[in-house]
Amino acid sequence: MSSGWLTTALILFPVAGALVLWVLPLRPFAVGSTALLFALVEVGLWIDSVAQFDFSKPGLQLDQQTSWFSDLHVSYHVGFYGFSIWLVGLTTVVLAAAIGYAFWAGRERPRAYYGLMLLLTGAIVGVFVAQDLLLFYVFWEAMLVPLYVLVGVWGGAGRMRATLVFVIYTMAGSLLMLGSIIVLGLSQGTFDLVTSGTNGSDWIFLGFVAAFAVKAPLFPLHAWLPEAYRESSPEVAAVLSGVVSKAAAYGFLRIAIAKFPGPVSDFRTPILVLAACGLVYGSLLAFRAPDVRGVIAYSSLAQMGLITLGLFAVNDLGLNGAVLQMVNHGLISATLFLLAGGIERRTTTGELALLGGMARGRPALATVLLTAGVIALAVPGSAAFAGEFAILAGVFQTGWGYAVVGAVAIVLAAMYILRLISAVLHDRVGSAVPEAALDLRPAELGVVVPLVAILLALSAWPAAITERSFVGSAVNVVGRVAK
């Protein structure tokens, strides 16, 4: 219990940073550098929490609990499980990279912008560490508010429509989840996720699943995705695709699968079928997308389908592979969106037909994009290969047909990633590519190279996550989490 302050600090420190930016009359450069400093210290706090976490010990660690509404048995209860500590790490690293990119790009109204990014950091960390259902919902909603503003104010020409569709979908999902939380909490006599038991209600389960499926998004609830990813600034798109979608996958694991073993077995087949459909559908749309961001956005839809296959296989291989792939995909999509932003700044477009030949005279851009692309291809030896292989091996135990669909989708992934790389870097020089377009600048490299370096480290040692997310059998751990 003595280290519980560290978990709370991870939530409150970026929120404090947001208040500092909003209150102090800092100059624009000082605002950006202060925000980046807070984001980097947040990464340091996470590293400290990993150092204090005992991966050989099961159960909740670094936890803190204080009564909030005693009449309803609602408490401020936070803490880490092995699988959630990696997702908090993903959050802190990607948000630090996003803030660093925004600092380099020079956003308008920086005090509001960076404050919202720091507030978003605290809210997403809160989602991953909350151990009380109502507290989870508070952080879930707090995560959406900065996103609405960041897309709606700093987005592209179609930002208002993108924001409206995003709001409608997410509010519908949130209301379903709130109803499920109230019914589940009152029926259990407590809202605490650690002390409450399992539940057999199909309707409560489906309320949670619908909310998480919208946020992931899963096919066919993905209509908000293409516009939101295209109209956001590159760093907000990186956070949406890289981190916010993982909050939904975490919800599947921590609440839907852990708390509803009966409904999971009842509805597993339709969920796996929808995930498999989304995997193929997203891959085909990514292959046909006319622009860089479209390829990355639809590949995210496909990857979330793959991660959902691993989760609802509900076996050790599937669960371990899904956690690893959450981290892999978060880092890959964040890197690709930030690189897309760099390409757009140089050419004023993301249309693949107008790009080409950017490898000539720009070795840093070519090297980073090719490295990230090759890892996204899931070539043998890469972190993505380890994650996808474990997921397919896990879902094969549930039904060989799902594994076949997954294998086909991996071939499609090779097609759309190679199409993206060749359209940007190779062929003839596109009409939108000026001769004077510079290579990646040191500040841009400082943002994207650490993300690629982490991916290379995970490629060398994927067991850092797969052997440290669950102590012993993953299925047994999820079962214990539910009790």
Side-chain angles (χ1 to χ4, degrees), residues 52-73:
Q52 295 198 33
F53 195 92
D54 184 356
F55 289 99
S56 64
K57 196 171 77 175
L60 193 67
Q61 297 184 42
L62 309 182
D63 56 318
Q64 191 170 39
Q65 185 169 16
T66 306
S67 180
W68 192 9
F69 302 124
S70 56
D71 294 349
L72 291 172
H73 300 285

Side-chain angles (χ1 to χ4, degrees), residues 103-127:
F103 182 33
W104 174 78
R107 296 289 170 228
E108 295 177 359
R109 285 164 285 185
R111 289 171 64 188
Y113 190 88
Y114 295 116
L116 288 168
M117 291 290 275
L118 287 171
L119 189 64
L120 180 60
T121 306
I124 299 173
V125 170
V127 167

Side-chain angles (χ1 to χ4, degrees), residues 1-7 52 61-64:
M1 288 292 287
S2 59
S3 301
W5 66 270
L6 197 53
T7 311
Q52 295 198 33
Q61 297 184 42
L62 309 182
D63 56 318
Q64 191 170 39

Side-chain angles (χ1 to χ4, degrees), residues 56-102:
S56 64
K57 196 171 77 175
L60 193 67
Q61 297 184 42
L62 309 182
D63 56 318
Q64 191 170 39
Q65 185 169 16
T66 306
S67 180
W68 192 9
F69 302 124
S70 56
D71 294 349
L72 291 172
H73 300 285
V74 176
S75 63
Y76 169 82
H77 190 189
V78 294
F80 285 108
Y81 286 99
F83 53 87
S84 59
I85 202 164
W86 302 116
L87 297 173
V88 172
L90 171 69
T91 303
T92 60
V93 168
V94 169
L95 264 296
I99 289 171
Y101 182 90

Side-chain angles (χ1 to χ4, degrees), residues 275-287 302-303 306 309 376-378 388-389 391-393 395-396 399-417:
C277 289
L279 178 52
V280 175
Y281 180 68
S283 299
L284 290 172
L285 287 179
F287 182 66
Q303 284 294 314
L306 183 68
L309 279 179
L377 277 173
E388 291 183 12
F389 187 83
I391 288 172
L392 294 184
V395 82
F396 181 82
W400 62 268
Y402 302 120
V404 170
V405 171
V408 169
I410 289 171
V411 175
L412 292 172
M415 292 166 60
Y416 64 70
I417 291 291

Side-chain angles (χ1 to χ4, degrees), residues 12-238:
L12 295 182
F13 184 74
V15 177
L19 293 175
V20 166
L21 297 184
W22 290 335
V23 170
L24 297 183
L26 301 172
R27 293 180 181 275
F29 182 84
V31 170
S33 52
T34 303
L36 184 57
L37 178 63
F38 270 94
L40 292 173
V41 173
E42 178 82 346
V43 175
L45 286 172
W46 173 75
I47 292 170
D48 189 19
S49 66
V50 172
Q52 295 198 33
F53 195 92
D54 184 356
F55 289 99
S56 64
K57 196 171 77 175
L60 193 67
Q61 297 184 42
L62 309 182
D63 56 318
Q64 191 170 39
Q65 185 169 16
T66 306
S67 180
W68 192 9
F69 302 124
S70 56
D71 294 349
L72 291 172
H73 300 285
V74 176
S75 63
Y76 169 82
H77 190 189
V78 294
F80 285 108
Y81 286 99
F83 53 87
S84 59
I85 202 164
W86 302 116
L87 297 173
V88 172
L90 171 69
T91 303
T92 60
V93 168
V94 169
L95 264 296
I99 289 171
Y101 182 90
F103 182 33
W104 174 78
R107 296 289 170 228
E108 295 177 359
R109 285 164 285 185
R111 289 171 64 188
Y113 190 88
Y114 295 116
L116 288 168
M117 291 290 275
L118 287 171
L119 189 64
L120 180 60
T121 306
I124 299 173
V125 170
V127 167
F128 289 133
V129 300
Q131 303 301 330
D132 181 279
L133 277 168
L134 271 181
L135 185 66
F136 177 87
Y137 184 76
V138 167
F139 286 128
W140 184 268
E141 289 299 294
M143 175 178 73
L144 301 179
V145 175
L147 284 172
Y148 298 151
V149 183
L150 287 165
V151 176
V153 175
W154 286 271
R159 63 184 181 275
M160 293 316 297
R161 175 180 159 77
T163 307
L164 185 63
V165 175
F166 182 49
V167 167
I168 291 170
Y169 268 82
T170 50
M171 286 306 294
S174 294
L175 287 173
L176 286 170
M177 182 163 70
L178 180 60
S180 293
I181 285 172
I182 291 170
V183 175
L184 178 61
L186 293 178
S187 66
Q188 298 265 15
T190 179
F191 288 85
D192 194 86
L193 278 165
V194 179
T195 58
S196 62
T198 57
N199 188 282
S201 169
D202 290 345
W203 291 109
I204 300 176
F205 170 75
L206 290 174
F208 281 114
V209 166
F212 300 141
V214 167
K215 182 59 66 252
L218 285 187
F219 175 84
L221 301 173
H222 65 281
W224 63 268
L225 173 137
E227 287 185 274
Y229 284 21
R230 281 190 175 110
E231 298 300 333
S232 306
S233 57
E235 63 274 18
V236 172

Side-chain angles (χ1 to χ4, degrees), residues 181-448:
I181 285 172
I182 291 170
V183 175
L184 178 61
L186 293 178
S187 66
Q188 298 265 15
T190 179
F191 288 85
D192 194 86
L193 278 165
V194 179
T195 58
S196 62
T198 57
N199 188 282
S201 169
D202 290 345
W203 291 109
I204 300 176
F205 170 75
L206 290 174
F208 281 114
V209 166
F212 300 141
V214 167
K215 182 59 66 252
L218 285 187
F219 175 84
L221 301 173
H222 65 281
W224 63 268
L225 173 137
E227 287 185 274
Y229 284 21
R230 281 190 175 110
E231 298 300 333
S232 306
S233 57
E235 63 274 18
V236 172
V239 173
L240 265 172
S241 173
V243 182
V244 174
S245 61
K246 306 309 172 293
Y250 171 78
F252 279 135
L253 175 58
R254 180 69 185 89
I255 298 175
I257 294 172
K259 293 295 177 183
F260 298 91
V264 164
S265 63
D266 293 341
F267 288 97
R268 181 157 67 166
T269 298
I271 291 171
L272 288 173
V273 168
L274 285 176
C277 289
L279 178 52
V280 175
Y281 180 68
S283 299
L284 290 172
L285 287 179
F287 182 66
R288 290 176 54 85
D291 59 319
V292 176
R293 288 211 206 186
V295 174
I296 308 167
Y298 286 118
S299 72
S300 294
L301 173 64
Q303 284 294 314
M304 290 313 298
L306 183 68
I307 289 166
T308 306
L309 279 179
L311 290 172
F312 281 90
V314 197
N315 53 38
D316 290 0
L317 277 169
L319 291 169
N320 278 307
V323 174
L324 174 59
Q325 195 59 17
M326 282 187 227
V327 177
N328 289 339
H329 177 252
L331 294 167
I332 291 167
S333 63
T335 303
L336 291 176
F337 269 118
L338 295 178
L339 288 172
I343 292 165
E344 289 165 5
R345 286 176 70 88
R346 286 159 174 77
T347 62
T348 69
T349 184
E351 295 292 321
L352 294 175
L354 303 177
L355 299 173
M358 293 193 75
R360 293 169 204 171
R362 302 173 193 90
L365 172 65
T367 302
V368 176
L369 180 57
L370 198 59
T371 305
V374 164
I375 295 172
L377 277 173
V379 296
S382 68
F385 175 78
E388 291 183 12
F389 187 83
I391 288 172
L392 294 184
V395 82
F396 181 82
Q397 297 175 15
T398 303
W400 62 268
Y402 302 120
V404 170
V405 171
V408 169
I410 289 171
V411 175
L412 292 172
M415 292 166 60
Y416 64 70
I417 291 291
L418 289 173
R419 172 174 171 260
L420 172 67
I421 290 171
S422 63
V424 173
L425 298 179
H426 307 303
D427 298 335
R428 58 182 177 77
V429 176
S431 58
V433 181
E435 197 66 40
L438 297 170
D439 200 358
L440 290 181
R441 310 319 296 150
E444 291 173 289
L445 289 170
V447 168
V448 295

